[in-house]
Amino acid sequence: MLRFFGIGYCSPTLATAMSDLIPAFTFILAIVFRMEKLDWKTKSTRAKSIGTLVSIVGALIITLYKGQAVIKNHPSNKLFPKKHVSSEQFDWVLGAMLLAGHSFVLSLLFIVQTWIIRNYPTELVIVLTRGTLVAMLSIPPSLISVTDLKDLRLGFDVNLIAIAFQAIFGVSL
């Protein structure tokens, strides 16, 4: 939901940049939850720390860059209508905060999954449970954001190909 509404307030460029925060947030949360130790003498700790700093600074810089709006008729504009829809008048800070919140929640999910796998090492059951819960949590936003239920039908077109690629490359690999 956070990513969905975040993209409605800004550009896909900012959404992509905020997705790059996931490893940084995961590293910071791993330090906070004592899953990662900071040993400044090792190269891996220095590389992770520098990468975290660079990705956070990059996300802050890209937040200030206002690219062109690609999605002008985004469903979040229907839920939260704006007076004028143009790239200058999008609420970039709110969009960036929503997208950063999405990255943070996803990083937290990775930390929780690591804890679960340590105690319950059956990965396929965990993946099945996660997929089922994500599908169930996706139903209310899709029903709220789509006014015509015919839009939810899946045909053999580019939408099906995009879902298949996401399943193959995003989940499987």
Side-chain angles (χ1 to χ4, degrees):
M1 290 285 294
L2 295 174
R3 185 171 177 88
F4 175 78
F5 288 115
I7 289 174
Y9 284 108
C10 58
S11 73
T13 305
L14 182 61
T16 303
M18 289 297 169
S19 293
D20 293 338
L21 286 175
I22 295 170
F25 285 151
T26 304
F27 179 64
I28 292 169
L29 286 172
I31 291 170
V32 169
F33 293 124
R34 300 190 188 272
M35 299 172 80
E36 184 83 28
K37 294 181 181 177
L38 283 179
D39 183 14
W40 292 105
K41 295 176 185 172
T42 62
K43 290 181 182 180
S44 65
T45 298
R46 286 184 283 189
K48 290 176 190 176
S49 300
I50 290 170
T52 298
L53 185 66
V54 167
S55 66
I56 290 173
V57 168
L60 289 174
I61 290 172
I62 201 79
T63 299
L64 301 175
Y65 169 74
K66 295 183 180 181
Q68 280 204 328
V70 176
I71 306 172
K72 291 190 179 186
N73 293 323
H74 193 270
S76 68
N77 294 334
K78 296 173 188 167
L79 293 173
F80 304 110
K82 300 170 185 69
K83 292 179 182 175
H84 304 286
V85 178
S86 70
S87 64
E88 288 78 31
Q89 294 173 344
F90 279 155
D91 195 353
W92 289 83
V93 175
L94 179 61
M97 287 176 26
L98 289 170
L99 292 168
H102 169 265
S103 297
F104 182 80
V105 168
L106 196 56
S107 297
L108 195 59
L109 173 71
F110 291 151
I111 297 293
V112 169
Q113 281 181 342
T114 303
W115 279 341
I116 291 171
I117 287 178
R118 283 184 182 164
N119 295 328
Y120 190 73
T122 311
E123 291 92 0
L124 289 177
V125 174
I126 294 170
V127 171
L128 176 68
T129 305
R130 180 181 181 269
T132 304
L133 289 174
V134 167
M136 289 173 29
L137 289 171
S138 300
I139 292 171
S142 64
L143 292 176
I144 290 171
S145 64
V146 175
T147 56
D148 188 15
L149 293 179
K150 292 178 183 176
D151 292 338
L152 294 176
R153 275 192 274 158
L154 197 59
F156 190 75
D157 57 357
V158 73
N159 293 331
L160 183 63
I161 293 170
I163 291 170
F165 271 94
Q166 172 63 24
I168 293 168
F169 295 109
V171 176
S172 301
L173 297 179

